């Protein structure tokens, strides 16, 4: 980490103007020990559910990679190691919140009631993968950071419509370098929007490490310039991410505006199945990161609390595998989309003046079927 | 502009194009609560051209929002709002500053319906004053409608008179898909036209035939329509009868109207002020040439700006097409026939 | 790719297009200290396609810069560097992400020389893989070259073979003005070609006639050249002799070569994978139709993508033009003649 | 001003992470009294020169507005009230620094050796206005905030070429909301660039007041998220702006990276001659701002120091008027640019394939000359 430049300077003409402080949230350390008191929301049931969701997330992830490797799906971005982030968000969201995901939020998607087969469809190169889900939620966003501005717009809409909900958006550490990130935080500050921005700081943007993205020691401090509240959380600690969301909701409810949450995670897998991370980072580094991964630590905590055991683990793993197999079957057996679908939903009111396009496509299909 | 703000429904009034825009915005905000306006200086100031004058006073800051200075933000916020039940009408202060809005416009606004198979849509309007001829500083005279027209899923609409500005803007706001609405600022305060403020929209996806004729079809849009009509007058004096078509909706193109006309006249001249190459004129010329192959008596001509940057204003008249250029192009059609 | 990094001057080698790009970058960085490379993942990772592989190891991080993730930044930094004696070769990871770079490209790179009357210039190259056909995710298959070609002051160059990639990229880097260099990723790892790594550039502003013929002129660029050549073979079997022209420099267009060809053949088919309307094909069709008015035996045909978004990859073959489409278009020219 | 959100929170799981402080620089108060000790650089000669430059700047400005009002020039952005900002920058720049201005830096231009008639040419709608000046300096930049990225690129070039100079860039308060501003600060932090960003916070972006641009109490704090040093200065105090530049240069020389300087000024005039500020702000507000304007306060300081008097003032005013009259004469008598100039310098190597364009222009000119 670079030195913090924003220290006091004693020089001619200088006088103090203001002070800012930044905090961190953590409950469980990497071994699953409590470093802060167990929070109220974390009932036995809550903890077990969070754990189960995270395991399902990981099982799904492994299957998706396998599908890609065997040519049954396209490029896929694994969420390996970032399950606490996605699951905490999914659990923290309320039904009528607007969720604006990026492309690595499989955990949250799972809890938003998306069919997992839709996720496979999407990454399998089929638009129908974005056809379902809560009507206000955004589809997966590929152009980095653009989703942040949509979330700000959604938050503004909630405010204009006097709806007491949140717009919740996710982004990667790389995404925090793009103008949209800043413009959106900035307007959220100026307009006091009910917006929660969660950064999955998984230390890499494809091959580019976190310290090439930004010279500041934290990404949370990017909130300061926008005049919104920023906080860093241990992103491998599902409780910490959830707590930050709770606080963010309270802040919005009290009309205190938006929140930026930087979650420190680590991308244990490749960027996507098209990437080979061994080109740009050491095995040692990855090995060390595995020490901090989110599932094991929560499992330890559950074991310590007597809420989980080997038998339950085995059962749950089986259940997950079975569920995911069903999902895969659904994906693989869906009948093919039509060629004409490329014109469906292009405009709600089909411009008659475009009919020639349909003729051209029909001709092409005739040729293809020969 | 004070008068504009006190207009009541169905009142008839003489308006310039700018006032017609303002009138349409007033009308639709009054009749549709989901319409909101945002952009730089659109609130208290009523826009640098006063197109949004009176809206904030009437509809409040929640529906008329001065944004921070960022065009990507303006477009992206609009996408976010449009997906959540609002109908944002956003202003880009000058078309020369529209580029940062492109990613949101092309990657999201234009795709949201298609991508989600109709689950979500983007009923938003991006308004921008465009074109040269008002002695404005650098970057204030661009006409890059071609860049937007290439992208599927969007409509691009350009009015050429107060009445069409009023009717087409209403249509644009009501359209369930994204519309880029470009206002030719050269004629913002041009000829007045009588407008009935009754909320009647004009159809999109349709050319308007402004003048019928038999010898040549003149196709144009925006501020160049004035020069084109002037050329048609000059041609009439020379005994050449020109049909004048206002394209109005640039994307998608109503080629049928244009082709039907050229089939009749056998000659076609397209007029626009954007740089010549890879512009909207090329698409029209390509289609007319293809579809009227056996009818054309002369090659389709284009009268356009040059393939260079719009010069600073002291030289902008050297760049902008004028009616003499149009007449010359028509005469060429007759020579070559 | 290891072999590429050890290449010495004037060595001859069989390369795919991607390697040819890499070779040209190595060559020019070695021979011109002012050349620097920047972009997302271009350094340690050598680019997501490995186009910049080995450069950072060889020339150090000062000349090969991984940037923060921001395309406007990449373009703007390049403008800043280019005006100060460097020759930045920047990579936009996929053309689908190029939009944020437009403001810097259009408002500054393209204008700096003109605006300062030659005091400053922008000798920069913006490289981007473009086009579909590799089963990539959403936004990874765009071909929006038309948007860039409309802007004056820029060159847009698209190679269609390893040798042309090598020679044209060298020319692009050496050109004193901004060049957008689009690499058709569908043929990144296509047919190998023998390349002499001697630093010899190919001319810009020139079409390449790949195959001579007498009955029809097929005009294309990028990955579609492969389909076009295949169609020419198929046509030959049917007794139709096709001339094939690789446009290569899209902006400015070498119309003379194309017109000369169509004057001879009397028929013209243009092939590109971008959406049909307002694309590069329109400009070529418009000019061919105008300038070959008396020579054309049939209307100019365009074989293109559709006016919709490139479908996700399961359906992309329904969108992309193929050689059967080209053959059919040629046959139409004969039917209508 | 909005409340500072970035205060300490005492809640479950929270622990302190880091602290930031922000400072302000000022030497002269609004009456010209010293609030900090007179700095070393501010010799008698320096102070008189700064004053003289500022007066010339204002006289030029008045003339330019008059030219526009009488139809002899185009839209013009006055620098009225912001002379200390422009002049301090001009004085703080070294010959080989790269200066990257926005459009309201007439004072700095003056000191960069630009012919003032070139400024009139530019705003008079003639490209030749940008043809001269230091070869590394950028022309006036109209698309807001884009110049910041060019300056970052120029700073990177200086670093790559091992040149020990600065890239110095100016921007308005409105400009700080645009993505380019943030992306450039961010890369300056990541790459430790020799970049100095000076914000002319004149409280308005056309009609939009500062607090609609950003919810944070200062713009200087936008440095924090980028990991660079930020400071606020009294922008009506030419010494404060200059001191901040001196410190920024030292920081860059010591390879400590970039600096963001927020200068608090007030735009006493309309946004441009095309604007009417009375539509959106009160006369009272403007009247109050006149109390703080930069020239009067420096004049007071000079009077107090015995360095200036009424006679000198009269003489200098006359000299300025005379100089500006000469400049105007030069502007008005320059022969017209040719139509063909639109193709000059479009490309260095004229593409022969574009010759048709020249023919088309020649035809048009023939028609125009008829
Ligand atoms: C605007 C844009 N530029 C480039 C890309 C290509 N790209 C896809 S993912 C990625 C890295 C993103 O990193 P980060 O934001 O940290 O998210 P992560 O993938 O690590 O979760 C890049 C450069 C893109 N999708 N969008
Ligand atoms: C990208 C862009 N958007 C909009 C404009 C139109 N515009 C010109 S000046 C201005 C306000 C700028 O305010 P600020 O940055 O505070 O600078 P000031 O004029 O106050 O010095 C606007 C919106 C522009 N020039 N560029
Ligand atoms: Mg990341
Ligand atoms: Mg300002």
């Amino acid at each position: 980490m670079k030195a913090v430049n924003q220290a006091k300077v004693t020089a001619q003409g200088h006088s103090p103007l203001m002070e800012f402080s930044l905090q961190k949230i953590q409950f469980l350390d990497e071994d699953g020990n409590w470093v802060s008191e167990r929070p109220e929301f974390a009932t036995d049931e809550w903890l077990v559910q969070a754990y189960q969701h995270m395991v399902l997330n990981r099982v799904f992830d492994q299957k998706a990679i396998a599908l890609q490797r065997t040519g049954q799906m396209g490029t896929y971005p694994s969420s390996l190691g970032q399950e606490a982030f996605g699951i905490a968000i999914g659990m923290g969201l309320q039904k009528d919140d607007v969720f604006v995901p990026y492309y690595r939020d499989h955990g949250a998607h799972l809890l938003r009631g998306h069919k997992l087969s839709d996720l496979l469809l999407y990454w399998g190169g089929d638009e129908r993968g974005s056809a379902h889900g809560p009507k206000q939620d955004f589809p997966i966003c590929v152009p980095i950071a653009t989703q942040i501005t949509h979330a700000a717009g959604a938050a503004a809409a909630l405010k204009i419509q006097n709806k007491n909900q949140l717009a919740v958006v996710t982004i990667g550490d790389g995404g925090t370098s793009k103008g949209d990130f800043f413009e959106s935080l900035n307007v959220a500050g100026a307009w006091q929007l009910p917006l929660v921005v969660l950064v999955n700081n998984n230390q890499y943007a494809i091959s580019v490490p976190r310290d090439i993205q930004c010279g500041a020691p934290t990404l949370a401090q990017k909130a300061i310039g926008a005049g919104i509240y920023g906080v860093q959380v241990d992103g491998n600690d599902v409780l910490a991410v959830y707590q930050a969301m709770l606080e963010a909701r309270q802040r919005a409810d009290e009309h205190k505006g938006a929140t930026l949450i930087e979650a420190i995670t680590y991308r244990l897998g490749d960027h996507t199945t098209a990437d080979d991370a061994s080109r740009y980072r050491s095995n040692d580094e990855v090995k060390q990161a595995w020490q901090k991964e989110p599932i094991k630590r929560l499992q330890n905590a559950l074991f310590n609390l007597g809420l989980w055991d080997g038998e339950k683990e085995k059962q749950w793993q089986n259940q997950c595998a079975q569920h995911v197999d069903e999902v895969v079957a659904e994906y693989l057996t869906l009948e093919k989309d039509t060629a004409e679908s490329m014109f469906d939903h292009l405009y709600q009111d089909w411009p008659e003046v475009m009919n020639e396009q349909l003729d051209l496509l029909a001709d092409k299909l005739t040729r293809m079927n020969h | 502009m004070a008068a504009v703000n006190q207009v009541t429904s169905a009142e008839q009034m003489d308006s310039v194009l700018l006032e017609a825009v303002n009138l349409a915005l007033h009308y639709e905000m009054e009749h549709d609560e989901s319409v909101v306006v945002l952009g730089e200086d659109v609130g208290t100031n009523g826009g640098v051209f006063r197109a949004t004058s009176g809206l904030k006073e009437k509809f409040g800051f929640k529906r008329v929002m001065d944004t921070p200075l960022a065009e990507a933000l303006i477009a992206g916020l609009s996408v976010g709002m449009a997906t959540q039940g609002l109908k944002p009408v956003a202003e880009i202060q000058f078309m020369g500053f529209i580029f940062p809005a492109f990613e949101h416009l092309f990657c999201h606004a234009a795709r949201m319906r298609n991508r989600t198979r109709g689950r979500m849509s983007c009923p938003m309007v991006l308004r921008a004053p465009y074109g040269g001829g008002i002695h404005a500083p650098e970057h204030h005279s661009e006409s890059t409608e071609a860049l937007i027209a290439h992208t599927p899923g969007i409509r691009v609409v350009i009015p050429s008179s107060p009445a069409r500005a009023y009717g087409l803007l209403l249509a644009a706001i009501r359209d369930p898909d994204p519309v880029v609405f470009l206002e030719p600022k050269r004629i913002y305060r041009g000829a007045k036209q009588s407008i009935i403020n009754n909320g009647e929209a004009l159809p999109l996806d349709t050319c308007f035939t402004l003048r019928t004729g038999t010898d040549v079809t003149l196709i144009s849009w925006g501020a160049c329509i004035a020069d084109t009509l002037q050329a048609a007058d000059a041609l009439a004096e020379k005994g050449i009868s020109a049909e004048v078509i206002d394209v109005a909706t640039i994307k998608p193109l109503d080629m049928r109207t244009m082709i039907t006309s050229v089939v009749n006249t056998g000659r076609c001249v397209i007029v626009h002020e954007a740089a010549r190459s890879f512009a909207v004129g090329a698409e029209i010329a390509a289609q007319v040439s293809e579809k009227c192959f056996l009818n054309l008596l002369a090659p389709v001509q284009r009268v356009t700006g040059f393939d260079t940057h719009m010069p600073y204003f002291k030289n902008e008249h050297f760049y902008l097409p004028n009616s003499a250029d149009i007449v010359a192009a028509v005469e060429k059609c007759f020579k070559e026939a």
Side-chain angles (χ1 to χ4, degrees), chain A, chain B:
Chain A
M1 277 199 195
K2 303 252 166 58
V4 189
N5 276 316
Q6 204 59 29
K8 281 177 202 167
V9 172
T10 10
Q12 275 183 317
H14 283 246
S15 58
L17 186 61
M18 42 205 346
E19 308 269 326
F20 309 92
S21 77
L22 199 64
Q23 299 186 301
K24 175 165 181 162
I25 307 179
Q26 188 177 16
F27 292 95
L28 289 176
D29 74 8
E30 59 184 82
D31 298 318
N33 300 317
W34 296 92
V35 296
S36 301
E37 204 187 323
R38 180 173 167 188
E40 227 170 280
F41 67 77
T43 60
D44 290 356
E45 197 195 345
W46 190 96
L47 288 171
V48 170
Q49 269 190 9
Y51 178 77
Q52 289 179 325
H53 292 321
M54 283 161 65
V55 170
L56 174 58
N57 181 354
R58 187 166 293 183
V59 171
F60 171 77
D61 216 79
Q62 283 158 346
K63 192 66 179 188
I65 292 171
L67 284 172
Q68 191 281 333
R69 298 274 185 244
T70 53
Q72 300 172 94
M73 212 180 61
T75 304
Y76 174 77
S78 158
S79 58
L80 184 67
Q82 297 140 85
E83 295 87 353
F85 181 78
I87 294 302
I89 294 169
M91 292 178 79
L93 280 163
Q94 293 182 355
K95 184 171 153 291
D96 292 329
D97 287 339
V98 181
F99 180 46
V100 191
Y102 80 121
Y103 48 78
R104 207 183 288 283
D105 296 312
H106 317 314
H109 267 91
L110 171 69
L111 297 182
R112 285 306 268 176
H114 287 271
K115 296 203 307 193
L116 282 178
S117 59
D118 279 349
L119 270 183
L120 298 179
L121 265 184
Y122 179 86
W123 295 109
D126 189 322
E127 276 90 349
R128 290 174 300 178
S130 301
H132 308 110
K135 76 175 194 325
Q136 78 278 20
D137 278 14
F138 278 69
I140 285 171
C141 184
V142 167
I144 299 286
T146 52
Q147 73 277 11
I148 294 276
T149 320
H150 307 159
L158 292 172
K159 190 162 178 168
I160 291 166
Q161 297 161 333
N162 296 316
K163 293 183 187 160
N164 201 22
Q165 296 292 146
L166 297 179
V168 175
V169 60
T170 56
I171 190 168
D173 46 317
T176 67
S177 296
K178 194 152 167 274
D180 307 65
F181 176 76
F182 160 78
E183 291 181 358
S184 306
L185 259 54
N186 191 59
V187 78
W191 289 2
Q192 300 274 300
L193 296 178
L195 177 72
V196 183
V197 177
L198 291 123
V199 178
N200 177 2
N201 178 359
N202 63 10
Q203 311 308 322
Y204 286 92
I206 308 185
S207 73
V208 179
R210 157 64 185 81
D211 67 339
I212 290 188
Q213 289 299 336
C214 179
T218 76
L219 299 177
Q221 73 198 68
K222 296 198 179 209
I224 296 174
I228 68 171
Y229 181 77
V231 67
Q232 193 181 75
V233 305
D234 185 329
N236 290 324
D237 176 0
V238 68
L239 293 97
V241 181
Y242 188 88
Q243 167 75 19
M245 274 192 80
L246 280 184
E247 293 176 17
R249 184 179 303 278
Q250 195 182 338
R251 205 168 290 116
D253 285 349
E254 293 167 359
H255 304 290
K256 290 188 186 153
T259 300
L260 172 66
I261 301 167
E262 177 194 17
I264 305 292
T265 64
Y266 190 91
R267 198 195 73 207
L268 288 171
D270 295 328
H271 168 67
T272 64
T273 49
D275 177 50
D276 172 8
S278 74
R279 290 181 57 90
Y280 52 79
R281 66 183 187 187
S282 71
N283 281 341
D284 258 20
E285 181 187 307
V286 180
K287 228 190 224 158
Q288 283 194 316
W290 269 104
Q291 302 305 312
K292 302 189 182 173
E293 69 97 3
I295 294 189
K296 189 71 198 165
R297 82 165 68 173
L298 184 55
Q299 197 190 50
N300 284 346
L302 292 182
F303 274 129
N304 293 345
L305 290 166
L307 297 170
W308 202 251
D309 57 33
E311 187 48 36
K312 283 185 177 152
E313 179 70 19
K314 217 171 109 188
Q315 275 184 11
W316 182 247
Q317 289 279 355
N318 283 340
Q319 254 177 279
C320 290
Q322 204 180 322
H323 177 55
V324 168
D325 282 345
E326 285 162 22
V327 162
V328 169
E330 198 178 339
Y331 161 65
L332 292 176
T333 56
L334 187 73
E335 80 184 300
K336 278 193 182 154
D337 203 0
T338 64
E340 291 82 1
S341 72
M342 70 173 88
F343 287 116
D344 295 344
H345 311 297
L346 180 60
Y347 297 96
Q348 176 171 307
D349 303 332
W350 175 252
E352 293 299 322
V353 295
M354 281 182 65
N355 280 345
E356 187 191 24
Q357 293 279 321
L358 302 180
D359 298 341
L360 290 169
L361 178 58
D363 287 351
K364 186 183 179 94
L365 293 176
T366 311
R367 281 191 296 278
M368 287 181 114
N369 292 334
H370 269 308
Chain B
M1 298 285 293
V4 173
N5 306 337
Q6 287 138 32
V7 157
T8 57
S9 229
E11 192 176 320
Q12 178 155 347
M13 54 188 321
D14 284 347
S15 307
V16 297
L17 198 151
L18 185 59
E19 292 165 327
V21 166
N22 185 265
L23 216 52
L25 290 170
H26 271 275
Y27 188 94
E28 206 56 13
M29 290 198 77
E30 211 162 285
H31 291 80
D32 183 348
E33 271 213 332
S34 67
V35 177
V36 297
V37 161
L38 66 159
E40 296 157 9
D41 302 288
V42 299
T44 310
N45 197 34
V48 291
F49 286 102
R50 311 279 174 261
T52 56
S53 184
L55 295 176
K56 188 182 165 198
E57 289 86 329
K58 200 149 171 188
F59 303 104
F61 67 88
K62 267 199 168 180
R63 291 182 63 197
V64 184
M65 294 162 265
D66 278 321
T67 61
L69 202 170
E71 283 74 14
L73 177 75
I74 292 169
L77 285 174
S78 299
V79 170
M81 291 173 178
T83 58
Q84 304 299 323
L86 297 179
K87 289 187 185 163
V89 182
E91 178 175 304
I92 299 293
Q93 201 160 75
F94 288 88
M95 195 185 197
F97 308 127
I98 205 170
F99 302 121
F102 274 9
E103 185 170 46
H104 285 286
L105 191 60
F106 296 167
C107 297
H108 296 296
R111 292 189 189 214
M112 201 55 85
R113 178 186 298 283
N114 193 257
R115 162 188 294 151
T116 61
R117 310 279 92 179
R119 178 168 66 86
M120 273 188 157
S121 63
C122 256
M124 60 184 262
V125 177
L126 216 58
R127 294 177 43 246
Y130 97 113
I134 63 157
H135 280 206
E138 201 185 356
H139 298 287
H140 288 67
S141 301
E142 278 62 26
S143 50
T144 46
E145 65 269 24
L147 304 198
I148 304 171
H150 184 45
T151 303
I154 309 186
R155 281 182 169 81
V156 180
V157 177
I158 304 182
S160 70
S161 76
R164 280 188 294 283
Y166 179 80
L168 290 172
L169 182 51
L170 286 177
I173 301 175
R174 292 172 196 169
D175 193 84
D177 290 302
V179 179
V180 175
F181 192 83
L182 301 174
E183 299 164 7
K185 56 181 167 313
R186 175 146 61 103
I187 54 169
Y188 251 166
R189 301 176 197 277
K192 290 199 173 200
Q193 209 171 13
S194 172
I195 291 181
I196 306 171
N197 186 25
N198 59 358
E200 241 174 63
L202 286 168
L204 300 176
D205 312 343
T206 308
C207 296
F208 297 90
T209 302
L210 303 185
R211 178 178 175 137
T212 56
T214 52
D215 300 330
V216 61
T217 303
L218 306 182
I219 297 173
S220 190
W221 53 92
C224 289
I225 285 289
D227 309 296
T228 305
L229 287 170
Q230 208 182 316
D233 283 342
L235 289 165
E237 278 178 30
K238 298 182 185 223
I240 297 175
S241 161
E243 183 142 313
V244 176
I245 294 178
D246 177 5
V247 177
T249 297
I250 302 295
K251 170 85 171 190
L253 276 175
D254 169 19
M255 283 310 303
R256 202 174 30 189
T257 300
M258 293 186 261
I259 287 164
T260 307
S261 172
V262 180
V263 164
N264 281 331
T265 62
R267 296 177 191 87
C268 178
V269 174
I270 302 158
V271 185
H272 61 67
E273 64 177 84
R276 185 179 194 79
S277 294
F278 308 100
V280 170
E283 180 60 36
I284 298 174
Q287 288 206 48
V288 167
S289 298
E290 183 193 349
K291 309 272 169 59
C292 305
F293 188 69
L294 297 175
N295 312 91
L296 276 175
L297 302 169
V300 176
Q301 297 297 312
R302 286 182 278 167
V303 178
T304 68
F306 294 100
D307 282 351
T308 187
H309 307 291
M310 165 65 90
Y312 293 5
F313 68 79
K314 275 208 180 122
N315 273 2
E316 67 178 331
H317 58 297
F318 291 131
Y319 178 93
L320 292 170
N322 57 41
S323 64
D325 298 336
I326 302 168
V327 169
V330 171
E331 284 172 344
K332 205 170 163 209
C333 286
F334 280 87
K335 260 185 232 130
E336 300 205 5

